[in-house]
Amino acid sequence: MSYIGKTPTPAPLTSSDITDGIITTTKIADANVTNPKLTSGSQQNFRNIIINGDMSIAQRATSVSGIDGTESGYKTVDRMYTEISDAGTWTQSQSTTVPTAQGFATSLKMDCTTADSTPTFLSVDTYFEGQNLQYLKKGTSSAVSTTLSFWVRSSKTGTHIAELRDYDNNRTISQAYTISSADTWEKKTLTYAGDTSGALGNDNGKSLGVTFFLAVSSTYSSGTLATSWGSRTNANRAVGQVNLADSTSNEWYVTGVQLEAGTTASDFEFLPVDVNQQRCQRYFVQYGRDLNGAGDANVGIGQWYSSSEVVYNMYSPVRMRAKPTLTSPTVSGGYRIHKAGSYTDVDTGGVITNCDNQAFSVYKSGLGGGTGGQATFVAFIVNGAKLQFSSEL
């Protein structure tokens, strides 16, 4: 048989053909090292910069209504901050409406309950510590691109804007995405170039954030969309953004939010629920009667400081980002302070006196009938009574 003019088919490459050192890093193009080929190992662990991107943890509440221009803050789903100024009224909830067969059980839902044809600002944001982002090499000539992927659904079609914002250096970059079909889950992927200007602080402060714009005034949309990194110019941040606040029929859902290094999106990184919850508790920890079903919840152990004051101790399951602040909602008779053979019911749980990032002393005054030095413990006896420790960014 003649092989003249034909190229022989090479034999398959086997391990015996590869000697030590023949394949080096310089011989492998960066573009050929993709996430699907990295099937195991530390390269895959915690690649998602977003915490709670599957919207599965909602420590504060599963639904909050009446969100208006005075109500910016964390409402339901952990790590998702609602920023609003004169943009109608909204109900936010942790929803069970999710993309089919994608592995998600929950989403974040924004539901317009009072419309506003001329809104000022509405967005859903999430923020990150600079010390967790040093591998992005921001502010250097080797700055790494990032890719944002997410599932989104809305009753209102059209252009929406998602922004990366550098809080350390007041810089932004925005990308547009289009909701093509009403009331239909769609997966979006946006890539943001690396920024060679402005290094992120190597600390526990708010360095970077993702902003999903929902409604804006011309203050934020009258310029040219900032699709490259630059100093923050409000007019260029959300050009083209639809007004999701213009009808009480409007809804917006999001889940599967992932931000990762590189120019391609990998499959969403699902984490065990305990790991996800502990990551959220770095920023917010809550104790309350109605968190795990009915029944009184006995919490802090301490002592009567005097006949009218107690100090009791509380602990976070994880070390928090910083020394937290304490919020104790007013609930009539919701907090029970025990004393020998009796108790006193009060409306708030007290204030922090001393704390570090994990152990907190809570002080409550204005009581009566106690004995200084006597032991006590505190119980939540009415739903809504709770202690909320926050070290959010």
Side-chain angles (χ1 to χ4, degrees):
M1 179 181 296
S2 173
Y3 288 96
I4 296 174
K6 296 182 180 180
T7 302
T9 301
L13 190 68
T14 66
S15 58
S16 62
D17 297 313
I18 304 173
T19 59
D20 289 345
I22 195 169
I23 297 178
T24 62
T25 299
T26 57
K27 294 180 180 179
I28 304 175
D30 289 346
N32 292 332
V33 183
T34 60
N35 276 303
K37 293 176 182 176
L38 300 173
T39 56
S40 63
S42 61
Q43 297 95 331
Q44 293 292 285
N45 297 338
F46 302 105
R47 67 183 179 276
N48 189 3
I49 296 170
I50 307 285
I51 296 174
N52 199 33
D54 62 353
M55 314 298 161
S56 61
I57 306 298
Q59 295 184 80
R60 294 171 177 84
T62 55
S63 183
V64 174
S65 60
I67 301 172
D68 58 20
T70 65
E71 292 288 334
S72 290
Y74 291 94
K75 302 300 179 181
T76 60
V77 174
D78 279 53
R79 307 301 303 125
M80 300 296 152
Y81 183 91
T82 302
E83 188 170 356
I84 183 169
S85 176
D86 298 324
T89 306
W90 296 78
T91 294
Q92 183 184 103
S93 59
Q94 183 191 45
S95 173
T96 55
T97 300
V98 293
T100 302
Q102 297 299 321
F104 301 106
T106 49
S107 63
L108 181 146
K109 176 185 178 182
M110 295 291 292
D111 180 16
C112 183
T113 56
T114 301
D116 190 335
S117 61
T118 56
T120 299
F121 193 94
L122 175 64
S123 68
V124 173
D125 310 340
T126 187
Y127 310 119
F128 321 112
E129 299 174 48
Q131 62 189 358
N132 292 331
L133 304 174
Q134 296 303 301
Y135 66 94
L136 296 181
K137 306 171 192 173
K138 191 176 180 300
T140 75
S141 59
S142 302
V144 175
S145 297
T146 52
T147 296
L148 178 68
S149 56
F150 53 96
W151 286 88
V152 65
R153 167 178 168 159
S154 180
S155 54
K156 189 175 183 69
T157 59
T159 299
H160 293 250
I161 307 298
E163 174 192 78
L164 293 188
R165 181 172 175 181
D166 170 0
Y167 287 87
D168 287 334
N169 303 286
N170 199 23
R171 294 172 63 78
T172 64
I173 183 173
S174 295
Q175 298 289 353
Y177 66 93
T178 300
I179 293 180
S180 303
S181 300
D183 302 316
T184 303
W185 282 103
E186 300 173 359
K187 186 175 182 180
K188 307 301 177 182
T189 300
L190 307 172
T191 296
Y192 301 81
D195 187 10
T196 58
S197 297
L200 300 176
N202 187 22
D203 53 32
N204 66 348
K206 180 167 72 173
S207 289
L208 192 70
V210 171
T211 296
F212 291 100
F213 292 101
L214 302 182
V216 296
S217 69
S218 60
T219 300
Y220 304 95
S221 62
S222 59
T224 302
L225 189 65
T227 56
S228 299
W229 280 102
S231 297
R232 178 171 63 92
T233 301
N234 279 338
N236 299 338
R237 294 176 65 191
V239 179
Q241 172 66 44
V242 300
N243 178 14
L244 199 71
D246 65 3
S247 170
T248 55
S249 298
N250 290 344
E251 299 172 338
W252 183 83
Y253 300 80
V254 69
T255 194
V257 185
Q258 182 152 295
L259 179 67
E260 59 193 303
T263 57
T264 58
S266 63
D267 291 340
F268 183 81
E269 182 184 23
F270 289 97
L271 297 178
V273 64
D274 56 332
V275 174
N276 198 21
Q277 180 157 344
Q278 287 175 358
R279 298 186 80 198
C280 292
Q281 287 173 330
R282 176 170 172 80
Y283 305 93
F284 182 81
V285 175
Q286 176 171 273
Y287 297 92
R289 181 181 188 271
D290 51 342
L291 301 182
N292 294 298
D296 295 351
N298 299 325
V299 285
I301 297 174
Q303 69 174 20
W304 284 84
Y305 186 71
S306 72
S307 62
S308 61
E309 305 164 289
V310 296
V311 176
Y312 58 98
N313 298 320
M314 299 292 297
Y315 301 90
S316 168
V318 301
R319 190 164 182 82
M320 301 187 75
R321 180 189 65 86
K323 292 181 179 181
T325 59
L326 170 61
T327 299
S328 178
T330 299
V331 177
S332 180
Y335 305 81
R336 178 163 290 176
I337 314 295
H338 285 264
K339 51 192 173 184
S342 184
Y343 54 80
T344 297
D345 293 342
V346 294
D347 298 343
T348 63
V351 297
I352 284 182
T353 55
N354 296 296
C355 72
D356 61 14
N357 294 27
Q358 193 163 14
F360 325 123
S361 292
V362 181
Y363 169 78
K364 178 64 179 175
S365 61
L367 308 173
T371 300
Q374 190 178 81
T376 186
F377 68 91
V378 179
F380 306 128
I381 62 170
V382 176
N383 284 354
K386 60 190 70 174
L387 298 177
Q388 300 173 313
F389 298 92
S390 175
S391 63
E392 295 281 7
L393 290 165

